[in-house]
Structure formats: C-alpha cells, structure tokens
Amino acid sequence: MQVKWTKEALQYMNNVPFFVREKARKKVEEWARQKGVEEITMNEVMEARSKMTARDPNAPPPAKPRIAVVRCNIVSEVCPGVGCLNSFNKREQHFARYGPDAELIGFFTCGGCCGRRVSRLVEKLLPYDLTHVHLSSCMLLEGDYPRCPFKEQIKKTIQAKGVEVIEGTHH
C-alpha cells in the first residue's frame, strides 16, 4: 500500500539530518502501514517518532527529579528566562512540588512553530534520567504573547517518551 504525505509532514521530514532522512521516512511509512494510515500528517510523524524513541517502560525510575523546561522560540527573542529559572531555584509556583534534590538539566526552546525541536532534545535528555518537562508559562498564557497553538501536540510527543509534562513554570 502506497501512503500519501501531507505537505507539512514532508516539510518536517526535510529537517531530519540528510544522512538518516530516507531511513526515517521508511520507518514512518512502515509504522503508518501497520496502523492502516493512508495519509501521513504531522500527527502521524510525531507519534511514530515518539514510539520509536521512547524510554524503556521497564527501566527503574530515576532516583531524583530531573527537569527540563521548554519555552516558546518566539518569546525567547525578548525573554532571557529569568522568571522560569527564579521559580525553579526558589521552588515556587509550578516547581513547588520538588524538593532540594531536584535538578534542572535542560532549558530550551521548542524550535519554532510545530515544536520541531522538542522531540529531539527530549531524546537527548533521556540518558540523563529526565523525569519531568515543564511547558513554560509563555506557551500557555494569553496576553503579551499568543498561546502556543501546538501545545497539545508537543505535550503528547513528550508523554509518549515516558516523561511527565507539567503545564507552567512561574505563572
């Protein structure tokens, strides 16, 4: 069965490094065929990628919370992240759930709309026992910045890797 690709999904695949792009495309198509998907959209690409790179569910849980923060790429142009980092350091707002042994091991942007960088960076943090990812407040609030239209897709991508997602940082 020949599967079709949406323009958006094909554009996303162009971001995959050239030396593994064809292999990745074949893996996504194979996954789509197994699911009976006739057209591959961004949702299918992200779901397939998450399934292929998830943490082993049989691995023992990490000894202490290891946290990353994902923030809006657009907002990062004007925000140095002080609010998120202060809240973590003081264990306030959405970081109040953690004790003094929690570590912040990642602080990165989504990579731009559709969250293209999130999956890859979460994968890079899994060997360091990443346990939680906070979606920064700038991705969630209405007002000075637009709410992230890809929040749910980003959240599902992270959760599929066996990592808990918390919505919010300092608001």
Side-chain angles (χ1 to χ4, degrees):
M1 169 175 95
Q2 181 68 20
V3 292
K4 297 177 191 171
W5 287 74
T6 64
K7 184 178 179 180
E8 183 184 35
L10 283 172
Q11 286 174 334
Y12 179 85
M13 292 302 288
N14 286 334
N15 293 320
V16 174
F18 73 92
F19 53 90
V20 293
R21 188 175 302 145
E22 190 58 32
K23 183 176 181 179
R25 182 183 168 115
K26 286 179 181 177
K27 286 283 194 183
V28 171
E29 289 178 349
E30 178 183 312
W31 176 87
R33 282 188 202 94
Q34 289 173 355
K35 280 193 69 178
V37 172
E38 294 179 13
E39 182 177 53
I40 298 172
T41 67
M42 276 301 299
N43 284 337
E44 280 75 36
V45 171
M46 299 308 280
E47 188 175 334
R49 181 179 178 142
S50 295
K51 297 295 182 199
M52 290 184 259
T53 59
R55 172 184 288 166
D56 178 0
N58 298 318
K64 58 185 170 182
R66 315 261 344 244
I67 302 155
V69 174
V70 178
R71 52 196 229 140
C72 173
N73 194 63
I74 296 168
V75 176
S76 73
E77 297 288 327
V78 295
C79 175
V82 172
C84 293
L85 295 172
N86 279 339
S87 284
F88 174 78
N89 289 336
K90 295 176 183 177
R91 304 300 195 267
E92 295 176 341
Q93 301 296 330
H94 295 277
F95 296 110
R97 63 182 14 218
Y98 306 112
D101 62 336
E103 294 180 50
L104 185 64
I105 63 168
F107 190 78
F108 54 90
T109 72
C110 63
C113 287
C114 87
R116 65 182 173 81
R117 185 182 295 153
V118 174
S119 181
R120 184 172 55 244
L121 292 174
V122 168
E123 288 169 26
K124 295 279 188 185
L125 292 172
L126 289 176
Y128 298 94
D129 292 332
L130 177 68
T131 59
H132 302 80
V133 172
H134 282 256
L135 303 181
S136 65
S137 297
C138 63
M139 295 174 72
L140 309 169
L141 301 174
E142 293 285 347
D144 293 339
Y145 313 112
R147 183 183 300 235
C148 175
F150 299 97
K151 179 188 76 134
E152 289 304 316
Q153 181 178 321
I154 291 169
K155 189 174 174 180
K156 287 178 186 175
T157 297
I158 298 167
Q159 289 171 329
K161 295 184 183 312
V163 177
E164 183 178 349
V165 178
I166 295 90
E167 293 186 19
T169 52
H170 61 291
H171 287 284

